[in-house]
Amino acid sequence: MTDTKVREDAGAANEAQIAVYWQEEQYFQPPQSFIDQANVRDPDIRKRFGEENFPECYREYGDMLSWYHPYGQVLDTSNPPFWKWFVGGKINACYNCVDRHLVKYRNKAAFIFVSEVEDEPPIAMTYQELYVRVNEMAALLKDYCGLKAGDRVTLHLPMTLDLPITMLACARLGIIHSQVFGGFSGKSAGQRIQDSGSRYLITCDAYWRSGHLIDHKEKADIAVQEAADLGQKVDKVLVWQRYPGKYSAATPMVEGRDVFVNDVLRQYRGQRVEPAVMDADAPLFLMYSSGTTGKPKGCQHRTAGYLAYVTGTSKYVQDIHPEDTYWCMADIGWITGHSYIVYGPLALAATSVVYEGVPTYPDIERPWRIADQLGVNIFHTSPTAVRALRRSGPDVPIKGPQHFKHMTTVGEPIEPNAWRWYYDQIGKGQAVICDTWWQTENGGFLCSTLPALDAMKPGSAGPALPGIYPVIYDDDGKELPRGSNRAGNMCIRNPWPGIIQTIWGDDKRFVKTYYERYCKNPKSTDWRDWPYMSGDGAMEAEDGYFRILGRIDDVINVSGHRLGTKEIESACLTVPDVAEAAVVAVNDEIKGKVPEVYVSLAVGSKASSDAIVKAVNQACEDIIGKIAKPSRVHVVPDMPKTRSGKIMRRVLASISNGRDVGDVTTLANAAVVEEIRKQVQG
């Protein structure tokens, strides 16, 4: 299918042409220097993990871990879809991430912490130091708090080393940790405290963000009150100090309830706590994911299956070796940070960088200075960050001396022109790129190229990972074959070790959300009858590479045609002056829904708003078809964003549809919302 054909036939453009069309189809091969050192060079790996060898193939991941008691059965499907992995095994996640490395890597850095304040030198924490700190924190949780295996603890911590120390201390005892992203409001934290039944909140006084020392403690008071209003009492609030010995928040401590972790830890100096021997299926943590409706979902991840999956994918996809210095720019408050900053890299004895601040502060060159200073050779970030880093202009060269062997993109599809900039400017044409697809519920990567074996193709996440067997269904449950050029609902036919056990406290919602729609036989114990529904749209090309089109509910149905919002945004981003684009659905009496576009411009752009509107309309019409032409295009000073840099399309949709935008106080740039509202609504 040609670009010309799509434009000529726009009036009759089918769903696939609208939803999945991206211009670039070029392949890029991994350099021989990468192949020579890669963890996976055997092209038979997909045969080893083929369906004929399922589920026994996952012994390869399970055997990367150290067990107190070996597992017997790899997969128990007797109570679908509540799968059990590595049945009979006894294990501890903290032991696998810390203790077992001491013999060989005791004095090697486990983490390197980088403050947002550039004058503060990086802090390297060795595996021995991490072992000591985790043991002392575990002793505090056990003796001071009286916590035990199976109890839940809510963490509301920013990106400092206190967070992984606390997580690992919980894992050491079998306590289920529930980390709430530090940028979330106190009310959001309180809701999660209530849902998980936590009696303890672990937080901090302050942290650096965009040049400001933020008072984080004030959120704790709101969280505790919100939890109480919902019926959950918090016994204690444990507060880490950003600068030990100094209180950096304006919000006062609450006498009798709040204590400084740093002070209490003195009582446990030098103490050691034996890791709890946990059943393979014991819950490790809860990670709350926003639902399309209703309250947030507490995704419950198991210990052994999750740890095996993130270890295996860290080794095979991220190509992490113990001698690598690896930097994932995600926040540990999200699943990417859990899987690919903490558990996966540590299980492989890697050195993992933890950066406190925003990547563009004090300027967009900061990441490359950090990478050069620390010798980072594996870099992991999101398309959102890539677009933010190129706002100075896509043609401005990155002059940093960093040298990456491997770069990952995660979180959303990356459009081809942003991919090329990432490859050319950041990777300097020498690094492999893995464009990964997966979700909070999945534990780890599901689709990606294997970096030494597969060619890279901008715009495509790549094939399914070994041991993952996808299927794309249409709305009627009919399978769409490879190369059909039709978009459908991305599903996975088989269970895998990283899949969540359930939604905390709500098994019925778990089944309804992920399995009910395409389940072939609710009474069957055959895993083939229980495909997992991801909620993302996708298509599979002839070469077996998948294009992920974003959430199914991010597809706009215009006069019976489904337009993928991501595809329209990608078309907008082909306009040179456009740095960011967001597409929202607006109600229309005739067409049902129509797309409305918001764009912000690259720094230094001198283009007029009229010229931009014209160029954006033309790009959408040229690349996708006339039906994709936006109803309106708004050139705005900036996009409303979360603290992690995610564009809040919900806020823009509310403005376009004349609805209340809701609480925007937690946004990184809340003031811009009113500016946009006045501009759009008049």
Side-chain angles (χ1 to χ4, degrees):
M1 184 195 312
T2 65
D3 164 44
T4 304
K5 174 63 177 171
V6 172
R7 289 198 294 268
E8 288 177 351
D9 202 29
N14 65 28
E15 172 187 318
Q17 289 170 324
I18 292 170
V20 307
Y21 192 74
W22 269 346
Q23 287 180 306
E24 189 153 2
E25 292 286 347
Q26 182 180 358
Y27 292 97
F28 293 78
Q29 299 297 331
Q32 190 62 44
S33 58
F34 180 87
I35 296 172
D36 290 343
Q37 61 81 63
N39 282 322
V40 177
R41 287 171 281 178
D42 180 3
D44 287 338
I45 184 171
R46 285 196 165 88
K47 183 177 180 180
R48 293 204 311 271
F49 280 83
E51 191 169 335
E52 67 276 11
N53 296 319
F54 180 85
E56 294 300 308
C57 56
Y58 277 113
R59 288 186 183 275
E60 191 163 326
Y61 285 2
D63 292 349
M64 292 180 186
L65 305 180
S66 298
W67 299 82
Y68 293 116
H69 185 276
Y71 59 90
Q73 187 178 2
V74 176
L75 173 64
D76 177 358
T77 65
S78 61
N79 184 26
F82 302 96
W83 322 110
K84 292 185 178 181
W85 284 92
F86 305 115
V87 181
K90 303 293 183 182
I91 198 167
N92 184 276
C94 179
Y95 177 87
N96 274 274
C97 291
V98 184
D99 302 48
R100 69 173 178 159
H101 300 317
L102 296 181
V103 172
K104 191 172 182 180
Y105 299 112
R106 183 181 303 274
N107 295 314
K108 176 186 181 294
F111 290 115
I112 303 175
F113 170 71
V114 180
S115 169
E116 188 185 76
V117 181
E118 202 158 1
D119 290 339
E120 296 180 359
I123 298 172
M125 178 175 287
T126 66
Y127 275 92
Q128 174 65 26
E129 291 170 314
L130 180 62
Y131 171 77
V132 170
R133 295 284 301 277
V134 167
N135 270 275
E136 291 173 349
M137 187 61 185
L140 183 153
L141 295 173
K142 177 175 177 285
D143 296 337
Y144 181 80
C145 300
L147 292 163
K148 62 186 184 305
D151 289 340
R152 281 81 59 206
V153 172
T154 297
L155 320 181
H156 196 198
L157 290 164
M159 285 287 287
T160 66
L161 294 185
D162 302 330
L163 174 49
I165 288 169
T166 305
M167 288 168 56
L168 290 164
C170 289
R172 194 169 191 84
L173 298 169
I175 297 166
I176 303 168
H177 60 76
S178 170
Q179 158 66 6
V180 179
F181 171 54
F184 277 177
S185 66
K187 185 173 183 178
S188 294
Q191 292 167 351
R192 287 154 174 79
I193 289 170
Q194 184 275 328
D195 189 74
S196 64
S198 298
R199 294 184 297 112
Y200 285 84
L201 170 63
I202 303 178
T203 186
C204 74
D205 56 354
Y207 65 99
W208 289 98
R209 197 78 178 174
S210 300
H212 301 285
L213 189 59
I214 305 295
D215 182 350
H216 190 64
K217 170 61 172 61
E218 66 178 353
K219 294 181 181 180
D221 296 351
I222 298 170
V224 171
Q225 185 59 56
E226 176 70 12
D229 291 346
L230 295 172
Q232 178 64 36
K233 181 179 183 295
V234 172
D235 295 337
K236 290 281 185 185
V237 176
L238 279 59
V239 182
W240 285 97
Q241 290 175 309
R242 175 61 177 81
Y243 296 98
K246 175 185 175 184
Y247 189 53
S248 300
T251 303
M253 298 281 281
V254 175
E255 188 173 353
R257 185 197 72 186
D258 300 349
V259 295
F260 290 124
V261 175
N262 312 73
D263 290 346
V264 181
L265 274 174
R266 294 192 185 101
Q267 304 171 31
Y268 301 97
R269 188 169 292 156
Q271 290 202 18
R272 301 290 182 264
V273 177
E274 281 297 309
V277 177
M278 303 300 296
D279 186 80
D281 219 43
L284 178 61
F285 66 87
L286 305 180
M287 171 62 64
Y288 281 87
S289 173
S290 296
T292 53
T293 59
K295 65 180 183 179
K297 306 187 296 283
C299 296
Q300 178 180 317
H301 280 283
R302 58 175 61 79
T303 299
Y306 168 82
L307 188 62
Y309 197 73
V310 298
T311 302
T313 51
S314 291
K315 184 172 184 176
Y316 289 175
V317 180
Q318 298 286 76
D319 198 61
I320 293 175
H321 301 68
E323 58 268 31
D324 289 324
T325 300
Y326 162 78
W327 182 15
C328 175
M329 285 180 62
D331 194 291
I332 297 173
W334 303 116
I335 189 66
T336 296
H338 275 47
S339 298
Y340 297 117
I341 297 178
V342 182
Y343 286 111
L346 289 187
L348 296 173
T351 295
S352 191
V353 176
V354 174
Y355 176 54
E356 177 181 33
V358 295
T360 54
Y361 184 85
D363 56 70
I364 61 169
E365 298 289 332
R366 181 72 190 279
W368 322 130
R369 292 197 295 272
I370 293 171
D372 180 48
Q373 181 182 16
L374 302 182
V376 173
N377 65 337
I378 303 178
F379 186 66
H380 187 167
T381 193
S382 67
T384 298
V386 170
R387 288 190 291 270
L389 291 166
R390 71 194 282 266
R391 278 202 73 178
S392 59
D395 299 323
V396 176
I398 299 297
K399 300 175 182 177
Q402 81 283 345
H403 180 73
F404 301 131
K405 72 166 186 176
H406 186 298
M407 305 191 306
T408 309
T409 177
V410 68
E412 58 182 311
I414 183 168
E415 58 278 356
N417 63 341
W419 190 101
R420 284 298 303 267
W421 181 86
Y422 192 39
Y423 180 77
D424 292 336
Q425 295 294 336
I426 308 307
K428 300 179 179 177
Q430 297 299 311
V432 295
I433 295 178
C434 285
D435 178 3
T436 62
W437 171 75
W438 60 300
Q439 304 165 315
T440 299
E441 297 89 341
N442 306 154
F445 307 136
L446 296 184
C447 285
S448 171
T449 51
L450 290 176
L453 296 175
D454 303 321
M456 300 165 273
K457 189 169 76 167
S460 292
L465 285 190
I468 301 297
Y469 319 130
V471 59
I472 298 177
Y473 290 118
D474 66 14
D475 288 340
D476 297 322
K478 182 181 178 181
E479 182 175 342
L480 301 181
R482 175 184 293 187
S484 67
N485 258 4
R486 292 182 60 198
N489 301 323
M490 182 70 160
C491 300
I492 308 298
R493 292 192 298 108
N494 63 300
W496 64 97
I499 182 67
I500 60 170
Q501 292 175 295
T502 187
I503 294 172
W504 176 259
D506 201 340
D507 288 349
K508 289 183 179 179
R509 188 182 183 190
F510 170 67
V511 175
K512 182 177 178 63
T513 301
Y514 303 110
Y515 292 97
E516 184 176 84
R517 182 169 183 179
Y518 292 116
C519 180
K520 299 173 185 177
N521 179 3
K523 296 181 180 180
S524 173
T525 59
D526 186 337
W527 59 263
R528 296 168 186 82
D529 291 327
W530 291 86
Y532 165 87
M533 178 178 164
S534 72
D536 277 352
M539 64 86 71
E540 185 181 6
E542 287 279 7
D543 58 11
Y545 281 44
F546 289 89
R547 283 184 170 173
I548 306 300
L549 310 172
R551 300 297 295 169
I552 292 169
D553 41 6
D554 285 344
V555 173
I556 305 173
N557 194 325
V558 181
S559 301
H561 297 288
R562 287 172 35 159
L563 281 77
T565 57
K566 184 64 190 173
E567 314 314 307
I568 302 174
E569 291 174 7
S570 297
C572 298
L573 288 165
T574 64
V575 177
D577 289 279
V578 172
E580 297 172 306
V583 174
V584 299
V586 178
N587 295 320
D588 183 90
E589 287 184 4
I590 297 174
K591 297 181 178 180
K593 299 281 186 182
V594 291
E596 197 160 294
V597 169
Y598 291 80
V599 296
S600 63
L601 305 185
V603 175
S605 171
K606 295 181 172 57
S608 68
S609 291
D610 289 345
I612 292 295
V613 170
K614 183 177 179 180
V616 166
N617 280 322
Q618 194 64 48
C620 292
E621 190 171 324
D622 286 350
I623 293 172
I624 304 175
K626 291 183 183 298
I627 196 160
K629 184 178 178 181
S631 61
R632 297 171 73 187
V633 177
H634 305 288
V635 182
V636 296
D638 197 6
M639 299 289 186
K641 295 173 186 171
T642 65
R643 301 280 289 282
S644 63
K646 182 178 180 181
I647 297 172
M648 287 297 287
R649 291 167 177 81
R650 172 188 63 78
V651 172
L652 297 174
S654 296
I655 292 173
S656 288
N657 287 286
R659 299 192 300 261
D660 182 3
V661 297
D663 181 16
V664 297
T665 57
T666 61
L667 297 184
N669 55 349
V672 80
V673 175
E674 183 60 18
E675 289 183 54
I676 295 172
R677 191 195 65 77
K678 289 179 179 178
Q679 176 182 331
V680 174
Q681 298 178 353

